[in-house]
Amino acid sequence: GFVLTVINETATNSYEEHIPVALAKKHQPDWLADGVKLSLEGELSNRTQGNVELDFIQANPDSLEKADEYMNIVRLIGQISRLHYRPANNGKQAFGNLGVRLAKKFFQAVLFDPLAVTFDRLAKRGMEVQVQGALQNSEYETRNGITKRVLEIRADSDWTELRQSAESLDPFANFGKKDQA
């Protein structure tokens, strides 16, 4: 395997996150070296070694390829663990803070109008959801004056969706259909 370094930048600073990638030695290409930009797909996995939980990406060897530029796209499918919604007011757009559970991990996504409005109306805790967007760091100060840093997904409205049948999400799905009773 190898270690993927993700550099996250905020308005005030930047930090590196190192994510181990599991990939059998026989699948590692010759061009893989320090500093190479690459694209890969895989599953977020977790392994316990002693008392330590290790998160890593189980890479799909067929997806590994060189990249010309840095990309920041993440897609995950999990269950909704929470949704906090703030309606539009005082010139601010509607906003949603979505918690997504994937295995034992929790991820945070931010939704903006009109996606936030749609999720507020239709989403329920425990529903399956697909969230895709860019990773971003946000900093905020707690009531105690402590600065916290959160890695979150800025949800793309074209690729973020509730994962249930389209018929149950579309209010007009049965419009014009005759009862079959």
Side-chain angles (χ1 to χ4, degrees), residues 124-138:
K124 305 242 181 305
R125 187 175 184 190
M127 289 178 79
E128 192 172 86
V129 63
Q130 172 183 293
V131 178
Q132 179 172 313
L135 286 173
Q136 69 178 21
N137 277 314
S138 292

Side-chain angles (χ1 to χ4, degrees), residues 72-136:
N72 182 359
I73 299 174
V74 64
R75 179 186 305 163
L76 63 93
I77 298 173
Q79 288 185 312
I80 296 174
S81 62
R82 65 175 160 62
L83 175 63
H84 297 289
Y85 173 72
R86 185 197 71 209
N89 62 4
N90 296 334
K92 293 184 178 181
Q93 62 183 332
F95 173 82
N97 189 327
L98 180 69
V100 180
R101 182 170 51 92
L102 177 63
K104 294 180 181 179
K105 290 290 184 190
F106 291 89
F107 297 88
Q108 182 169 301
V110 291
L111 316 172
F112 295 97
D113 204 17
L115 186 61
V117 174
T118 301
F119 267 64
D120 181 54
R121 280 192 1 224
L122 301 174
K124 305 242 181 305
R125 187 175 184 190
M127 289 178 79
E128 192 172 86
V129 63
Q130 172 183 293
V131 178
Q132 179 172 313
L135 286 173
Q136 69 178 21

Side-chain angles (χ1 to χ4, degrees), residues 5 9 12 19 28 38 40 55 64 74 79 94-95 110 112 114 116 122 146 150 158 162 165 169-170 179-181:
T5 301
E9 304 214 7
T12 56
I19 305 168
Q28 290 187 19
L38 62 93
L40 69 89
D55 294 323
L64 202 61
V74 64
Q79 288 185 312
F95 173 82
V110 291
F112 295 97
L122 301 174
I146 299 170
V150 178
D158 291 335
L162 294 170
S165 73
L169 289 177
D170 183 358
D179 291 335
Q180 298 179 356

